[in-house]
Amino acid sequence: AVPFKRASSHLSGPAQPVAYNVSQLFQGDYGRAGLAHITVAGARHHGMKGVEVWLQTFAPGVGTPVHRHDCEEVFVIQRGAGSLRYRTAGGSVAELPFAANDTLVVPPNLVHQFVNSQLQGDLQALVVFDSPPIRIHTYANWSSAEAVLQRPYFWDKECPLTLPAAL
Amino acid sequence: AVPFKRASSHLSGPAQPVAYNVSQLFQGDYGRAGLAHITVAGARHHGMKGVEVWLQTFAPGVGTPVHRHDCEEVFVIQRGAGSLRYRTAGGSVAELPFAANDTLVVPPNLVHQFVNSQLQGDLQALVVFDSPPIRIHTYANWSSAEAVLQRPYFWDKECPLTLPAAL
Ligand SMILES: [Zn+2]
Ligand SMILES: [Zn+2]
């Protein structure tokens, strides 16, 4: 069997590739009702160094905190619909609607919030960003000017003790 | 309307986010019968700096060239099944089977090939990697020791002249 954990980066040769099913990975709400988060490939969870990938599912009306981070972020919408709210250069809050098969690109340092705006039906997205683990500043709401650095981020605080078996 | 192209990175404030539908993006086979490639979010195509995302669809029996690159690569399998072939530390060629909802992590510098091993049915994957644009070395086949740097890579050679309209 191919080992799940990659060899450390100081080894001279390339490590082994790994394959695992998303259904084998730990899914949690991390204290947020209506959220299902899976770290599909992560720095803390799987030793990723360049990119991290999440699969996130949001119930109707549920979204992320208002937040910012200094990495690029790409959302590939798998199903459902929602809105990306963001702080404009002028200081107001704008809203960008999206639906399945849409791609969202969020530039670094933009204050934003990703929300399931549907009355019913889940919103599911693959979330991709560079330079993991992520450093997120959250705001209590859109009126708050105070940002709090959440690091490690909620799902980076505890790693699942049981890594999924490789295929 | 939100501008599609992000502002250049030397601007002090964050640029605008963008949203667009994958169906609006250019899809091509780039001379490879049985391949459909879309750059969902790319360095050359959309000004990405940290991550790049592709959506690739392979007909039965079709795959990538034997190749390597110094970035991390994550495949999130959307549908179908296939094999990741790779050069082991011992020099032989190993094969890692996968199917829908599997995630593959390919470490930097591993020589590998991603193939639709099905007799019928497409294989579709979201492909994610860091530090775009990609620098790929290709090999004519598994017996070849000679690697050829393909840079810019095939779909990075020409950018679509018409960028998709933002939503
Ligand atoms: Zn974000
Ligand atoms: Zn590759």
Side-chain angles (χ1 to χ4, degrees), chain A residues 140-163:
Chain A
N141 53 57
W142 281 106
S143 305
S144 170
E146 192 190 352
V148 179
L149 176 61
Q150 310 281 2
R151 196 186 187 195
Y153 207 55
F154 301 99
W155 29 88
D156 286 345
K157 281 177 187 161
E158 353 173 353
C159 274
L161 292 176
T162 310
L163 292 171

Side-chain angles (χ1 to χ4, degrees), chain A residues 67 69 73 75 112:
Chain A
H67 72 284
H69 37 68
E73 188 172 33
F75 294 87
H112 62 284

Side-chain angles (χ1 to χ4, degrees), chain A residues 2 6 13-25 40-41 46-53 72-74 76 78 84 86-89 96-111 126 128-132 166-167, chain B residues 2 6 13-25 40-41 46-53 72-74 76 78 84 86-89 96-111 126 128-132 166-167:
Chain A
V2 177
R6 299 192 293 119
Q16 304 273 54
V18 292
Y20 46 88
N21 196 279
V22 167
S23 66
Q24 295 176 279
L25 299 176
V40 174
H46 313 116
M48 302 298 294
K49 294 179 180 7
V51 293
E52 181 154 331
V53 181
E72 284 179 352
E73 188 172 33
V74 179
V76 183
Q78 305 281 294
L84 185 79
Y86 64 99
R87 179 80 66 191
T88 66
L96 193 59
F98 58 80
N101 292 321
D102 281 347
T103 295
L104 302 175
V105 178
V106 180
N109 301 315
L110 189 78
V111 180
L126 275 163
V128 173
F129 55 90
D130 63 281
S131 312
L167 294 177
Chain B
V2 177
R6 301 193 292 118
Q16 303 275 55
V18 294
Y20 46 88
N21 196 279
V22 167
S23 66
Q24 295 175 279
L25 300 175
V40 173
H46 314 116
M48 302 298 294
K49 294 178 180 8
V51 294
E52 182 154 330
V53 181
E72 284 178 352
E73 187 172 34
V74 178
V76 183
Q78 305 281 294
L84 186 78
Y86 63 99
R87 179 79 67 191
T88 67
L96 192 59
F98 59 80
N101 293 319
D102 281 347
T103 296
L104 303 174
V105 178
V106 180
N109 301 314
L110 189 77
V111 180
L126 274 162
V128 174
F129 55 91
D130 64 281
S131 313
L167 295 179

Side-chain angles (χ1 to χ4, degrees), chain B residues 68-135:
Chain B
R68 65 177 158 84
H69 37 69
D70 57 9
C71 57
E72 284 178 352
E73 187 172 34
V74 178
F75 294 86
V76 183
I77 311 303
Q78 305 281 294
R79 57 192 167 91
S83 285
L84 186 78
R85 298 178 189 145
Y86 63 99
R87 179 79 67 191
T88 67
S92 61
V93 181
E95 200 159 309
L96 192 59
F98 59 80
N101 293 319
D102 281 347
T103 296
L104 303 174
V105 178
V106 180
N109 301 314
L110 189 77
V111 180
H112 63 284
Q113 182 183 32
F114 182 83
V115 180
N116 181 350
S117 58
Q118 303 171 113
L119 294 177
Q120 53 184 17
D122 284 345
L123 166 64
Q124 188 173 62
L126 274 162
V127 185
V128 174
F129 55 91
D130 64 281
S131 313
I134 203 162
R135 298 159 295 280

